[in-house]
Amino acid sequence: MPVALSNFIHAARWIAAFAVLLAHAGVLIALSDIMVAPHGPLVYVWWFAAAFSHQAVTVFFALSGFLVGGRVFTAIERQRPFLRAYFIDRVSRIYIVLAPALALTFALDALGRGLFAGAGVYELTGLEGAYDPARILTTLAMQQHIWAGQAGTNGPLWSLACEFWFYLLFPLLLLPLARCYSKTVRRAAFCAGVLLLLLLSLPSSRIPFGFAIWSMGALAARAQRPLLRGKYLSFLLFLAVVVVARLAVRGPFVEAHPALHDVADALTAATFANLLTTLRFCETGFCVRHAALHRRLADFSFSLYATHMPIVFFFWAGTGHIFGKDWHRLLPTPAHWIAAATVLLVALAAAWVFSLATEARTAALRRMLHAAFAMADRRARLGERARWVGQGRAEGL
């Protein structure tokens, strides 16, 4: 991958993760009078910036498709079996963060429910049954907001469930192109992929639509040329779509026509995929300053996404317990801004520490799993050889 494109992807990863955190931390800042009363410039900046979480998740899907789906295309071209190595890499990437994030979620939720029971936060509509330990198992089975409800207060984990199934569906549906596998295997894989996509689509329309967005990113990794060759034009087009979606896709008219949300998401994914394709063919790319800093921030962006929500809930309930149940609904005072800033800093620091024990160990876990499977293969071959030798000796006798 060109260095300029890699630097851009690092920046996009952490900015998207921070956009999600910023939106959720906004629960402490009530700006109900933003359209009818004057405010300072920083308030308007917050109001504008803290509403891009949905577009950020769309970017995550397209970016994941570009990085992971592109590798599937490359693996198929090499004409060597790849599925086992691919699934080891994908499963280790998700579960090394997901399992500890679930443990953190339920521990912090239990502590918050005990300390701040009267704040009314942990009893919000939509959290019925969320604290049932069985939700840990359904989330580990990647069923959150598909065939099961969410686990604790960590609603954003729904996107990890979608990502997991996209990882699985894409190579299965493309396996007919992999001549290194037998026709029987290729046909069986394709049929399994189609059946799985249908089953996952029954409870949730997010799966087929999200998979289409994810696939846009994958196709961007293989496109022969970008639709727009100018990197700045492609970037400005993407920004324009995102800003228009943030400002326009809301209100009674849009709520009455939910398809407009899908149109906005599709345009966001398409323009971002085009931007990635443009940067693939661009010799210079963007001048991303402080590339090392962007890389370090990107290194724990997955952890930030997976852990921030129970922290936000804990602070939300804590401030309600201290200042009053409806404190977060009041127009913001300096105390509100300090609380929101504290949530941001704590969530970032906690995610970085969390990542050191989880996300940063992904490569080591992959090496261990690859080595374990390779050792199992060697043992199986030795066992088979010993069986044939024993059978030959028996026949000789």
Side-chain angles (χ1 to χ4, degrees), residues 139-164:
T139 301
L140 289 174
M142 299 300 174
Q143 294 303 314
Q144 177 156 313
H145 288 304
I146 300 177
W147 286 102
Q150 74 180 50
T153 57
N154 209 333
L157 293 183
W158 71 268
S159 66
L160 296 190
C162 292
E163 288 268 356
F164 177 85

Side-chain angles (χ1 to χ4, degrees), residues 69-355:
R71 292 171 185 170
V72 172
F73 282 120
T74 302
I76 290 175
E77 285 182 348
R78 290 175 179 170
Q79 293 301 328
R80 293 197 297 269
F82 67 94
L83 284 179
R84 189 177 73 181
Y86 170 83
F87 288 130
I88 288 174
D89 289 347
R90 294 303 97 215
V91 168
S92 58
R93 168 64 173 166
I94 284 188
Y95 278 97
I96 197 172
V97 171
L98 175 61
L102 280 173
L104 174 66
T105 298
F106 275 78
L108 204 55
D109 286 353
L111 181 61
R113 292 168 68 200
L115 293 176
F116 314 127
V121 171
Y122 290 100
E123 297 78 30
L124 290 173
T125 302
L127 292 177
E128 299 86 357
Y131 310 111
D132 185 346
R135 292 290 176 86
I136 297 176
L137 299 178
T138 57
T139 301
L140 289 174
M142 299 300 174
Q143 294 303 314
Q144 177 156 313
H145 288 304
I146 300 177
W147 286 102
Q150 74 180 50
T153 57
N154 209 333
L157 293 183
W158 71 268
S159 66
L160 296 190
C162 292
E163 288 268 356
F164 177 85
W165 296 115
F166 301 160
Y167 292 162
L168 185 59
L169 286 167
F170 197 70
L172 292 179
L173 294 175
L174 287 186
L175 208 64
L177 302 177
R179 303 294 181 181
C180 54
Y181 292 100
S182 68
K183 286 185 179 181
T184 301
V185 171
R186 285 182 279 152
R187 290 170 180 170
F190 180 78
C191 292
V194 172
L195 179 60
L196 183 59
L197 180 58
L198 291 175
L199 289 175
L200 292 170
S201 302
L202 292 177
S204 174
S205 60
R206 284 176 172 174
I207 294 295
F209 184 73
F211 186 52
I213 287 176
W214 193 92
S215 299
M216 286 185 190
L219 293 174
R222 301 302 298 169
Q224 298 302 309
R225 61 182 181 84
L227 295 177
L228 298 175
R229 292 189 178 276
K231 60 184 178 181
Y232 293 110
L233 180 59
S234 296
F235 184 64
L236 289 175
L237 178 62
F238 166 68
L239 285 184
V241 168
V242 169
V243 170
V244 170
R246 182 258 180 267
L247 295 175
V249 185
R250 57 184 62 240
F253 178 76
V254 175
E255 294 302 324
H257 300 82
L260 292 177
H261 287 281
D262 294 340
V263 171
D265 291 345
L267 288 174
T268 299
T271 52
F272 187 73
N274 175 74
L275 176 58
L276 293 173
T277 307
T278 300
L279 294 177
R280 276 182 53 219
F281 292 93
C282 186
E283 295 182 0
T284 57
F286 295 112
C287 180
V288 179
R289 296 188 177 184
H290 310 295
L293 176 61
H294 290 301
R295 185 174 63 253
R296 292 191 182 97
L297 291 172
D299 284 343
F300 68 93
S301 59
F302 183 17
S303 297
L304 177 63
Y305 185 84
T307 62
H308 74 278
M309 201 59 178
I311 296 173
V312 169
F313 263 82
F314 188 83
F315 271 83
W316 184 9
T319 54
H321 179 78
I322 295 171
F323 299 111
K325 188 174 180 179
D326 295 326
W327 183 73
H328 68 280
R329 293 192 178 94
L330 303 177
L331 294 180
T333 64
H336 289 83
W337 293 107
I338 291 172
T342 302
V343 170
L344 297 178
L345 292 175
V346 170
L348 287 168
W352 175 69
V353 173
F354 179 89
S355 72

